[in-house]
Amino acid sequence: MANSRRPAGEESRYWVHSVARAAEVLETLAAAQPGRGMSVTELAAACQLSKSAAFSTLYTLCQFGLVADDGDGMSRRYRLGMSLARLGWRAQSQVSLRDVARPVLTGLTERTGLSSRLAVGESDHAVVVDQISNGQRIQFDLRMGVRELPHCTGLGKALLAEMTDAQVAELIGRVGMPRRTGKTIVELDRLLAHLADVRQLGYAVDDEEDAEGIFCIGSAVHDHEGRCVGAVSVTGMKLDIPAWRLQEFGHAVRDAARHISTDLGHRDDDG
């Protein structure tokens, strides 16, 4: 319910009940069965509103094209209006992946103490398009525009995990699986089994597979249609970091990727 989202403390004084109610109505209509719509009675019950409050909200939204109605009298049903499609398109055109991701990357670096990066898939590689340094004296060569191999890096494996096994095999057939260190996975069947674990965990770990002494953990980012549009990662020196600490980093990276995805309009129930 909309009231459950009301902020606590001093910020609650900015809460506008009528706007919250309208937003709740739109969310409820969005969840309705496709092609069926909802009656005033059904919507009022779902939103815990009186019928008069539900009707007045629907009527107002209809005037802006945000809600549309079909039928007459008791058979009238309501659905989302096409003005939302126009607004949605405009919202998408105004969104920059880098702009959305940057504050999240900053927070990820603050949370983990590690340098963080954003990459997109390009020409069968992960290409770094933004990064936040941890400011420490020892820095890695994490230049913008760097093309990361798909089979042995955290960013690359995060993107690979979004593909089917057949797509992965096709991509690997083009770029190969060069050995970078003694830990690099260079057999396709092992890589496919590894990617199955990545999908289950929600993040990929490069445990000194691309460079000795360096680890990288990546997680995929999705847009409003559920498409993978990139990946975020953290990078650090392996030293004597225990497995449980890598797991903590993995959860932080996964949380950051989900945060960015949510900001891009992705919902967990989109698939």
Side-chain angles (χ1 to χ4, degrees):
M1 296 302 297
N3 286 338
S4 67
R5 304 184 186 184
R6 178 170 179 165
E10 185 177 348
E11 290 188 356
S12 64
R13 65 193 176 101
Y14 301 113
W15 184 264
V16 181
H17 290 280
S18 58
V19 176
R21 183 171 65 192
E24 181 68 21
V25 166
L26 292 174
E27 290 279 4
T28 302
L29 289 176
Q33 183 178 344
R36 184 174 181 274
M38 298 181 73
S39 68
V40 172
T41 301
E42 291 170 337
L43 189 135
C47 296
Q48 298 180 16
L49 297 171
S50 67
K51 288 185 182 180
S52 62
F55 177 77
S56 62
T57 302
L58 288 166
Y59 176 83
T60 304
L61 291 171
C62 281
Q63 306 313 302
F64 289 88
L66 302 175
V67 167
D69 60 339
D70 299 297
D72 297 303
M74 298 297 293
S75 64
R76 178 173 294 177
R77 306 190 75 80
Y78 296 86
R79 56 178 171 78
L80 295 180
M82 291 306 296
S83 285
L84 287 170
R86 175 179 58 82
L87 292 175
W89 180 84
R90 293 291 297 173
Q92 294 168 36
S93 68
Q94 294 173 5
V95 168
S96 161
L97 177 58
R98 285 186 62 187
D99 290 343
V100 171
R102 176 156 273 264
V104 181
L105 290 179
T106 300
L108 179 60
T109 291
E110 291 174 350
R111 176 177 175 181
T112 63
L114 304 171
S115 295
S116 58
R117 294 184 294 166
L118 170 70
V120 297
E122 184 179 291
S123 301
D124 296 334
H125 291 72
V127 179
V128 178
V129 295
D130 201 7
Q131 62 186 28
I132 299 294
S133 170
N134 63 359
Q136 294 183 1
R137 182 174 59 84
I138 299 178
Q139 293 294 317
F140 309 105
D141 186 13
L142 305 178
R143 292 167 295 172
M144 300 279 287
V146 168
R147 289 157 49 95
E148 303 244 323
L149 288 168
H151 71 294
C152 62
T153 63
L155 288 168
K157 290 193 288 186
L159 295 177
L160 281 184
E162 296 298 309
M163 304 178 184
T164 65
D165 285 357
Q167 290 171 328
V168 172
E170 183 179 351
L171 184 150
I172 292 300
R174 292 192 296 268
V175 302
M177 301 178 67
R179 182 180 294 279
R180 301 278 291 175
T181 74
K183 292 187 176 182
T184 304
I185 298 175
V186 293
E187 298 86 18
L188 180 59
D189 57 345
R190 283 188 59 206
L191 177 63
L192 294 177
H194 177 73
L195 292 177
D197 293 334
V198 172
R199 296 183 188 108
Q200 184 174 7
L201 290 172
Y203 61 88
V205 179
D206 154 19
D207 188 5
E208 299 184 89
E209 297 165 50
D210 186 48
E212 292 183 1
I214 306 297
F215 73 88
C216 178
I217 302 175
S219 185
V221 173
H222 302 86
D223 68 6
H224 66 288
E225 293 184 342
R227 298 173 301 186
C228 175
V229 293
V232 294
S233 72
V234 294
T235 303
M237 300 202 58
K238 183 64 184 294
L239 301 175
D240 296 320
I241 294 179
W244 63 265
R245 187 62 172 142
L246 291 178
Q247 186 179 59
E248 283 189 345
F249 290 147
H251 292 167
V253 174
R254 184 180 63 195
D255 290 346
R258 288 175 175 173
H259 187 163
I260 297 169
S261 298
T262 298
D263 288 346
L264 291 174
H266 179 68
R267 297 171 63 99
D268 287 338
D269 56 4
D270 286 342

